[in-house]
Amino acid sequence: MAFELPENLHPDAGPCAWMLGTWRGNGHGDYPTIDKFEFGQELIFTHDGRPFFHYFARSWIIDPESGEKVRDAALETGFLRFRPGGDVEWVMTHSTGIVEVWYGKAEGGKLDLATDAVGRTETAKEYTAGKRLYGNVEGDLLYAFDMAAMGQSLQPHLWARLQRATQ
Protein backbone atom coordinates (compact mmCIF):
# COMPACT_ATOMS: atom_id res chain seq x y z
CA MET A 1 0.00 0.00 0.00
CA ALA A 2 1.36 3.44 -0.92
CA PHE A 3 2.14 5.84 1.90
CA GLU A 4 1.98 9.62 1.51
CA LEU A 5 3.85 12.01 3.77
CA PRO A 6 1.46 14.21 5.77
CA GLU A 7 1.69 17.90 4.85
CA ASN A 8 2.13 19.00 8.47
CA LEU A 9 4.82 16.44 9.36
CA HIS A 10 7.51 18.03 11.53
CA PRO A 11 10.90 17.85 9.71
CA ASP A 12 12.57 16.06 12.65
CA ALA A 13 9.98 13.25 12.35
CA GLY A 14 10.95 12.52 8.74
CA PRO A 15 13.19 9.49 9.43
CA CYS A 16 10.22 7.71 11.10
CA ALA A 17 7.41 8.99 8.86
CA TRP A 18 7.04 5.53 7.33
CA MET A 19 5.79 4.27 10.72
CA LEU A 20 2.70 6.52 10.77
CA GLY A 21 -0.65 4.78 10.64
CA THR A 22 -2.04 1.48 11.87
CA TRP A 23 -0.14 -1.81 11.57
CA ARG A 24 -1.49 -5.32 12.21
CA GLY A 25 0.03 -8.76 12.12
CA ASN A 26 1.42 -11.66 14.09
CA GLY A 27 4.54 -12.42 16.02
CA HIS A 28 6.33 -14.87 18.27
CA GLY A 29 7.55 -14.73 21.84
CA ASP A 30 10.06 -16.73 23.82
CA TYR A 31 12.10 -16.29 27.00
CA PRO A 32 13.81 -18.69 29.40
CA THR A 33 11.23 -18.03 32.15
CA ILE A 34 8.08 -18.64 30.03
CA ASP A 35 6.66 -20.99 27.42
CA LYS A 36 6.94 -20.02 23.74
CA PHE A 37 3.84 -18.29 22.34
CA GLU A 38 2.35 -16.64 19.27
CA PHE A 39 0.50 -13.34 19.31
CA GLY A 40 -1.50 -10.94 17.19
CA GLN A 41 -0.76 -7.24 17.45
CA GLU A 42 -1.91 -3.79 16.40
CA LEU A 43 0.37 -0.72 16.53
CA ILE A 44 -0.93 2.80 15.94
CA PHE A 45 1.31 5.81 15.34
CA THR A 46 -0.37 9.23 15.05
CA HIS A 47 0.89 12.82 14.90
CA ASP A 48 -0.37 16.40 15.02
CA GLY A 49 2.52 18.27 13.38
CA ARG A 50 4.68 18.65 16.46
CA PRO A 51 8.01 16.74 16.73
CA PHE A 52 6.55 13.56 18.24
CA PHE A 53 4.24 10.65 17.44
CA HIS A 54 1.70 9.22 19.85
CA TYR A 55 2.03 5.43 20.04
CA PHE A 56 -0.46 2.80 21.16
CA ALA A 57 -0.05 -0.96 20.93
CA ARG A 58 -2.23 -3.87 21.94
CA SER A 59 -1.61 -7.56 21.58
CA TRP A 60 -3.38 -10.84 22.18
CA ILE A 61 -2.23 -14.43 22.50
CA ILE A 62 -3.30 -16.62 19.57
CA ASP A 63 -3.65 -20.36 19.22
CA PRO A 64 -0.83 -21.52 16.90
CA GLU A 65 -3.06 -24.14 15.28
CA SER A 66 -6.17 -22.09 14.53
CA GLY A 67 -4.82 -18.54 14.67
CA GLU A 68 -7.80 -17.67 16.91
CA LYS A 69 -7.49 -15.27 19.84
CA VAL A 70 -7.01 -17.04 23.18
CA ARG A 71 -6.79 -13.99 25.48
CA ASP A 72 -5.75 -10.35 25.64
CA ALA A 73 -2.07 -9.67 26.32
CA ALA A 74 0.13 -6.55 26.52
CA LEU A 75 -0.91 -2.91 26.20
CA GLU A 76 1.61 -0.08 25.87
CA THR A 77 1.45 3.59 25.00
CA GLY A 78 3.76 6.55 24.82
CA PHE A 79 5.43 9.28 22.83
CA LEU A 80 8.13 8.84 20.22
CA ARG A 81 9.95 12.19 20.37
CA PHE A 82 12.19 13.42 17.56
CA ARG A 83 15.34 15.50 17.65
CA PRO A 84 17.42 16.83 14.78
CA GLY A 85 19.65 14.40 12.91
CA GLY A 86 17.54 11.28 13.47
CA ASP A 87 18.00 11.14 17.24
CA VAL A 88 14.94 9.72 18.99
CA GLU A 89 13.58 9.57 22.54
CA TRP A 90 10.69 7.28 23.42
CA VAL A 91 8.73 7.55 26.66
CA MET A 92 6.66 4.40 27.10
CA THR A 93 4.32 2.97 29.73
CA HIS A 94 2.84 -0.51 30.04
CA SER A 95 -0.33 -1.89 31.60
CA THR A 96 1.93 -4.21 33.61
CA GLY A 97 3.25 -1.34 35.75
CA ILE A 98 6.46 -0.62 33.84
CA VAL A 99 7.63 2.74 32.46
CA GLU A 100 10.67 3.21 30.22
CA VAL A 101 12.80 5.94 28.66
CA TRP A 102 14.44 4.85 25.40
CA TYR A 103 17.09 6.57 23.27
CA GLY A 104 18.04 5.70 19.75
CA LYS A 105 18.61 6.60 16.13
CA ALA A 106 16.32 6.56 13.09
CA GLU A 107 17.75 6.36 9.58
CA GLY A 108 17.26 4.47 6.34
CA GLY A 109 13.90 2.92 7.27
CA LYS A 110 15.25 1.64 10.58
CA LEU A 111 14.74 2.66 14.22
CA ASP A 112 17.23 1.25 16.74
CA LEU A 113 16.60 1.92 20.47
CA ALA A 114 17.88 0.93 23.91
CA THR A 115 16.50 1.69 27.35
CA ASP A 116 18.12 4.41 29.40
CA ALA A 117 15.79 4.13 32.41
CA VAL A 118 13.24 1.59 33.60
CA GLY A 119 10.79 2.13 36.46
CA ARG A 120 8.24 -0.29 37.83
CA THR A 121 5.51 -0.49 40.39
CA GLU A 122 5.91 -2.86 43.30
CA THR A 123 3.54 -5.37 41.62
CA ALA A 124 5.32 -5.35 38.25
CA LYS A 125 7.63 -8.20 37.29
CA GLU A 126 11.36 -7.56 37.47
CA TYR A 127 12.57 -6.00 34.21
CA THR A 128 15.86 -4.11 33.90
CA ALA A 129 16.66 -3.30 30.25
CA GLY A 130 15.48 -3.58 26.66
CA LYS A 131 16.54 -3.13 23.07
CA ARG A 132 14.11 -2.60 20.18
CA LEU A 133 14.72 -2.62 16.46
CA TYR A 134 12.01 -1.54 13.98
CA GLY A 135 12.49 -1.75 10.24
CA ASN A 136 10.61 -1.07 7.03
CA VAL A 137 11.09 -4.30 5.08
CA GLU A 138 9.27 -4.67 1.74
CA GLY A 139 6.65 -2.20 3.01
CA ASP A 140 5.99 -4.16 6.22
CA LEU A 141 6.97 -3.17 9.74
CA LEU A 142 9.29 -5.77 11.27
CA TYR A 143 10.49 -5.50 14.82
CA ALA A 144 12.46 -7.34 17.46
CA PHE A 145 12.46 -6.74 21.20
CA ASP A 146 15.28 -8.03 23.40
CA MET A 147 14.83 -7.87 27.15
CA ALA A 148 16.69 -8.38 30.42
CA ALA A 149 14.27 -9.54 33.12
CA MET A 150 13.70 -12.04 35.91
CA GLY A 151 17.44 -12.41 36.49
CA GLN A 152 18.17 -13.14 32.81
CA SER A 153 20.63 -11.21 30.63
CA LEU A 154 19.53 -9.17 27.60
CA GLN A 155 18.26 -11.63 24.96
CA PRO A 156 15.55 -12.03 22.29
CA HIS A 157 11.97 -11.98 23.59
CA LEU A 158 9.54 -10.82 20.85
CA TRP A 159 9.63 -10.51 17.07
CA ALA A 160 6.85 -9.76 14.59
CA ARG A 161 5.94 -8.78 11.05
CA LEU A 162 3.07 -6.29 10.69
CA GLN A 163 1.30 -4.95 7.61
CA ARG A 164 -0.10 -1.47 7.13
CA ALA A 165 -3.85 -1.60 7.81
CA THR A 166 -6.25 -0.37 5.16
CA GLN A 167 -8.68 0.56 7.99
Side-chain angles (χ1 to χ4, degrees):
M1 174 200 279
F3 171 74
E4 292 184 26
L5 284 176
E7 287 183 23
N8 66 337
L9 184 71
H10 191 281
D12 292 343
C16 287
W18 66 271
M19 298 174 83
L20 282 169
T22 300
W23 300 85
R24 294 185 187 108
N26 293 328
H28 302 273
D30 192 13
Y31 207 67
T33 59
I34 60 173
D35 292 331
K36 291 180 181 183
F37 61 95
E38 293 185 24
F39 63 94
Q41 188 169 45
E42 177 180 70
L43 307 182
I44 302 170
F45 293 91
T46 62
H47 82 104
D48 65 5
R50 292 181 283 176
F52 63 82
F53 293 167
H54 176 251
Y55 165 77
F56 175 74
R58 64 187 185 103
S59 60
W60 50 94
I61 303 300
I62 58 174
D63 180 276
E65 305 287 320
S66 68
E68 296 295 316
K69 178 180 174 178
V70 175
R71 65 177 169 81
D72 288 318
L75 292 172
E76 55 188 33
T77 191
F79 295 92
L80 184 55
R81 300 163 35 92
F82 304 106
R83 298 174 45 213
D87 291 329
V88 176
E89 306 167 343
W90 199 334
V91 181
M92 192 180 299
T93 185
H94 304 260
S95 59
T96 56
I98 294 171
V99 295
E100 302 158 301
V101 175
W102 298 78
Y103 289 109
K105 188 79 169 174
E107 59 186 348
K110 180 176 83 169
L111 175 59
D112 195 0
L113 301 144
T115 51
D116 178 66
V118 174
R120 57 189 169 93
T121 64
E122 66 181 37
T123 58
K125 290 185 179 179
E126 186 256 332
Y127 164 71
T128 57
K131 181 169 175 41
R132 290 185 182 218
L133 177 63
Y134 295 82
N136 182 340
V137 179
E138 300 172 346
D140 289 347
L141 187 155
L142 274 63
Y143 79 86
F145 169 49
D146 295 353
M147 131 177 127
M150 307 302 291
Q152 303 292 314
S153 61
L154 188 68
Q155 59 193 285
H157 174 46
L158 303 173
W159 55 98
R161 183 175 196 128
L162 310 176
Q163 291 75 42
R164 188 178 298 280
T166 57
Q167 293 307 338

